[in-house]
Amino acid sequence: MDYQTIPKNHRLPGEFWVFAYGSLIWNPGFKYTQRKKACLRNWARRFWQASTDHRGNPEAPGRVLTLVPHEGATCEGIAYQIHGNIEATLSYLDHRERGGYQRQVLPVEITGPPGETRDMLVYIGDSQHPLFTGPTPIGDISRILTRSHGESGSNLDYYRELATALHRENISDPHITHIARNLPA
Ligand code: SIN
């Protein structure tokens, strides 16, 4: 697959994988046949996506994760092989990730043994979308996480569930650790 976005009427392959780096790690919400630790090179996880639905509202947007291109960085996450109806899963994910995310297909390395690289679907915040905030001081991110709430719960819970999931998967991420040090006690 060498396309950036998958048109709605694209004929999908029989086997289809999604790479998760945020809430999809601890709460995929769809059925899968395989779940494997994996990584995406030259991308970095950042709390640079405003949330006006899941973890905030239009008056007081929260912050959720996106990926940004970053030469030399590695984002570790989870690769899922979708089980069953791929179209139905994509509709579910499109709705869930409606807050400024776009579908991209990127080469993801499944951690071995045996290791392999596969093209996978990744939801990434569109850097041209108004919900993409760009670089934000860690102190500001921490303050927003502490005070925001949305239809999926508190922003602080999103952060804590992320931190717990990364710990469980033995994934360390300096951006996430840096935020932890700035969260109010
Ligand atoms: C993801 O988890 O892969 C997408 C970002 C999110 O929903 O937190």
Side-chain angles (χ1 to χ4, degrees), residues 114-179:
E116 59 173 321
T117 301
R118 284 180 169 272
D119 282 343
M120 297 190 193
L121 176 63
V122 193
Y123 282 85
I124 296 181
D126 173 4
S127 62
Q128 302 304 311
H129 194 280
L131 289 173
F132 179 76
T133 66
T136 312
I138 291 289
D140 291 355
I141 294 175
S142 305
R143 269 188 293 280
I144 295 168
L145 292 178
T146 307
R147 66 164 192 234
S148 305
H149 296 264
E151 64 196 38
S152 297
S154 83
N155 215 168
L156 203 50
D157 280 351
Y158 178 98
Y159 176 84
R160 288 187 177 136
E161 284 175 294
L162 170 77
T164 302
L166 294 185
H167 182 73
R168 195 171 48 232
E169 303 295 343
N170 204 16
I171 295 172
S172 74
D173 184 317
H175 178 69
I176 305 306
T177 311
H178 198 176
I179 290 171

Side-chain angles (χ1 to χ4, degrees), residues 33-95:
T33 44
Q34 295 193 66
R35 180 187 193 279
K36 292 176 183 266
K37 198 168 165 184
C39 74
L40 185 55
R41 297 204 188 272
N42 298 316
W43 289 84
R45 185 171 10 233
R46 292 286 181 268
F47 269 99
W48 292 357
Q49 188 77 8
S51 172
T52 53
D53 49 16
H54 289 296
R55 303 290 170 163
N57 60 60
E59 288 71 43
R63 281 297 176 98
V64 286
L65 290 167
T66 185
L67 294 179
V68 291
H70 193 301
E71 194 66 32
T74 299
C75 175
E76 288 188 283
I78 297 294
Y80 295 99
Q81 184 187 357
I82 295 177
H83 174 75
N85 189 329
I86 295 169
E87 290 286 4
T89 300
L90 290 184
S91 303
Y92 163 75
L93 288 172
D94 282 352
H95 179 71

